[in-house]
Amino acid sequence: MKKRAWIVFFDESGVSLLPQVRRTDAPRGRTPVLRHRLNWKRAGMAAALGYHATGPGRGPRLCFHLKPGSYDTTSLIEVLEQVKTFYAGEPVVLVWDGLSAHWSRGMRAWAAGQDWLTLERLPACAPELNPVELLWSAIKTRELAHLAGDHLADVADATERGIHAGAAGPPHGCCPHTPPPKCGPPPHRSLTCRFLPCGDAMTRPSPTRK
């Protein structure tokens, strides 16, 4: 029996205020210099990229979440609750890796009570099977490359620009940043994108009065 569900690939990644150093086009012997504050504050990114199993015409959907620090079972459940709202309770088959927080006792107990959600595990050491990994690679290579921000809000702004850039073009293949197929015209599918609320911790602090 065919299951009319969204197939959603989920993954997390981390960034910090330390610049993402990448190769540049600077002339030989003129190495670029990045000046930053040696700030180790970190933020966690989570994304859920979904395709409908029996309705490809509905177009892909992307949920994005950003928070200070890293994700644990509790924070992941909060994100999945927002994902549930985004998909309006439709059936979702969530595909993610074997991270301990993904398969903890608390996560499995919570998922057992969610009739809309089915969890599936990716094979070990196979990041290429998760298209969200390509999204992280694209953002860190472009928008976050050489970014020497003063606050996590600078990282959040640059990341949002990267997400919007990916959503602007039709997502060929499995990810907004993958090249179009070589055979036949690329299908036109609009990407529905939603930024999940992350609270006030990622906002830029107000300047202090002297």
Side-chain angles (χ1 to χ4, degrees):
M1 180 178 177
K2 189 177 293 185
K3 189 171 185 178
R4 298 178 179 274
W6 288 91
I7 301 176
V8 178
F9 295 91
F10 191 99
D11 193 50
E12 308 92 346
S13 185
V15 292
S16 74
L17 289 180
L18 294 179
Q20 300 277 339
V21 179
R22 295 292 186 268
R23 179 177 295 181
T24 70
D25 293 328
R28 180 175 296 180
R30 299 181 183 179
T31 304
V33 177
L34 289 175
R35 301 184 184 276
H36 57 90
R37 299 178 181 272
L38 282 176
N39 195 320
W40 290 87
K41 286 186 178 179
R42 294 187 61 82
M45 304 183 296
L49 181 61
Y51 294 88
H52 199 273
T54 60
R58 300 180 69 175
R61 294 184 178 183
L62 176 66
C63 295
F64 181 79
H65 186 265
L66 191 68
K67 69 178 291 294
S70 57
Y71 288 92
D72 56 14
T73 297
T74 302
S75 56
L76 284 174
I77 289 176
E78 293 174 356
V79 174
L80 292 180
E81 289 283 6
Q82 298 181 57
V83 171
K84 175 183 178 180
T85 302
F86 180 63
Y87 283 96
E90 290 188 75
V92 167
V93 177
L94 192 76
V95 184
W96 55 9
D97 57 28
L99 186 71
S100 58
H102 293 171
W103 302 99
S104 65
R105 182 178 301 177
M107 177 63 73
R108 286 179 291 172
W110 175 82
Q114 308 298 315
D115 56 359
W116 62 280
L117 181 65
T118 301
L119 300 181
E120 294 292 344
R121 183 170 183 163
L122 285 168
C125 303
E128 68 277 4
L129 298 181
N130 193 334
V132 180
E133 294 281 359
L134 300 177
L135 180 62
W136 301 147
S137 176
I139 292 176
K140 292 181 180 181
T141 302
R142 299 184 313 187
E143 285 75 20
L144 294 181
H146 314 297
L147 176 66
D150 294 326
H151 309 286
L152 286 177
D154 299 324
V155 176
D157 293 343
T159 303
E160 285 195 18
R161 289 195 298 271
I163 295 293
H164 283 301
H172 310 296
C174 295
C175 182
H177 298 280
T178 54
K182 295 182 179 179
C183 300
H188 177 72
R189 295 174 293 170
S190 59
L191 177 66
T192 302
C193 183
R194 178 176 179 181
F195 294 87
L196 305 179
C198 57
D200 297 331
M202 296 298 298
T203 58
R204 189 171 286 102
S206 302
T208 56
R209 296 182 179 179
K210 296 184 178 179

